[in-house]
Amino acid sequence: MTITITAFERSPDGGKGLARDTRVRWALEEVGQPYEVRLVSFRAMKEPAHLALHPFGQIPTYEDGDLALFETGSIVLHIAERHPGLLPDDANARARVITWMFAAVNTVEPAILELVTARLLERDKPWSRERMPLVEDRVRDRLKQLSARLGSTHWLDGAFSAGDLMMVSVLLRLKPSGLLDTCSNLAAYVARGEARPAYKRAFAAQWAVNTG
Ligand SMILES: N[C@@H](CCC(=O)N[C@@H](CS)C(=O)NCC(=O)O)C(=O)O
């Protein structure tokens, strides 16, 4: 049974790879699993057929036979557990990688999403100018902490893992803000992720959908 994921029919970012199907495509490319993509419109995402797969009416979803999943953290973990390449064999190292996956979506991504919301959706509000430095500072704090932990290592815990895949995916959203460049080791970390052939294939696939 071929894996099927859902993605935007037309991503709001025009194919910059920031929609979350890219991280699922990336994971599938890393482990060499073929997949199909069902494109959904904003309207279809809120209709019963899609809501049965994703209770919050979002993308991406993941279907494989009888199994249907939503939430990219869970989808990437499922892929990493089923196929070699994204999780270490050692039980403790595996647990640490899963911890990084949670940290990416639970500790780092919220601050970044707040910034994206402030920049894209709240710019015209009268309180926006006053709030922006606070929101940016919260992102800077997270970046400094992550940067301190990464230090001069290439990846977060040993070899490239699902933890790095999730963390790089989350950090990529910061590129337009320029904030990533305040921590040179994190900018280099993200660039290493983007240089991976599997990431390039994932990016190209979503680019083709959005620019074709
Ligand atoms: N926590 C979810 C977030 C999913 C999400 O926000 N998806 C966005 C696309 S990147 C979406 O579908 N937005 C449209 C909407 O919420 O209506 C995950 O990681 O899968």
Side-chain angles (χ1 to χ4, degrees), residues 5-11 13-15 21 25 35-40 202-212:
I5 67 167
T6 52
F8 284 130
E9 195 175 62
R10 272 276 178 265
S11 176
D13 76 350
D21 56 292
R25 293 173 186 267
Y35 63 96
E36 286 173 0
V37 183
R38 195 168 59 248
L39 301 176
V40 286
F203 183 91
Q206 65 77 40
W207 175 260
V209 168
N210 285 291
T211 57

Side-chain angles (χ1 to χ4, degrees), residues 11-193:
S11 176
D13 76 350
K16 291 197 182 78
L18 302 180
R20 290 173 178 81
D21 56 292
T22 305
R23 53 184 81 163
V24 174
R25 293 173 186 267
W26 186 7
L28 289 165
E29 292 287 353
E30 287 285 350
V31 301
Q33 282 301 302
Y35 63 96
E36 286 173 0
V37 183
R38 195 168 59 248
L39 301 176
V40 286
S41 64
F42 269 93
R43 202 165 96 193
M45 282 163 59
K46 310 300 173 195
E47 285 173 357
H50 189 75
L51 287 170
L53 290 173
H54 196 310
F56 305 108
Q58 297 180 315
I59 59 96
T61 56
Y62 170 102
E63 291 158 84
D64 187 9
D66 289 345
L67 178 67
L69 296 174
F70 61 97
E71 281 299 329
T72 53
S74 162
I75 296 170
V76 171
L77 179 57
H78 175 75
I79 295 167
E81 281 178 330
R82 295 225 22 206
H83 308 283
L86 287 172
L87 284 177
D89 291 334
D90 173 74
N92 285 354
R94 219 176 164 87
R96 288 196 303 272
V97 162
I98 294 170
T99 302
W100 280 117
M101 296 180 72
F102 275 84
V105 290
N106 219 20
T107 303
V108 179
E109 192 165 47
I112 293 175
L113 289 182
E114 207 186 346
L115 178 69
V116 172
T117 305
R119 287 183 165 231
L120 296 183
L121 305 177
E122 297 171 357
R123 256 205 196 288
D124 57 340
K125 305 285 184 233
W127 35 262
S128 174
R129 272 173 72 98
E130 217 176 332
R131 182 166 181 261
M132 196 65 82
L134 304 173
V135 175
E136 287 180 349
D137 278 351
R138 281 197 282 272
V139 173
R140 277 196 200 91
D141 282 349
R142 282 288 178 256
L143 293 183
K144 264 192 237 150
Q145 292 159 333
L146 185 62
S147 165
R149 172 55 77 99
L150 182 68
S152 59
T153 59
H154 268 206
W155 306 115
L156 288 167
D157 196 302
F160 175 82
S161 71
D164 297 300
L165 188 151
M166 290 302 292
M167 193 63 84
V168 169
S169 298
V170 160
L171 292 174
L172 272 168
R173 283 194 169 237
L174 276 180
K175 270 179 94 175
S177 74
L179 285 181
L180 200 52
D181 299 323
T182 59
C183 295
S184 59
N185 66 337
L186 288 187
Y189 171 65
V190 169
R192 271 194 294 282

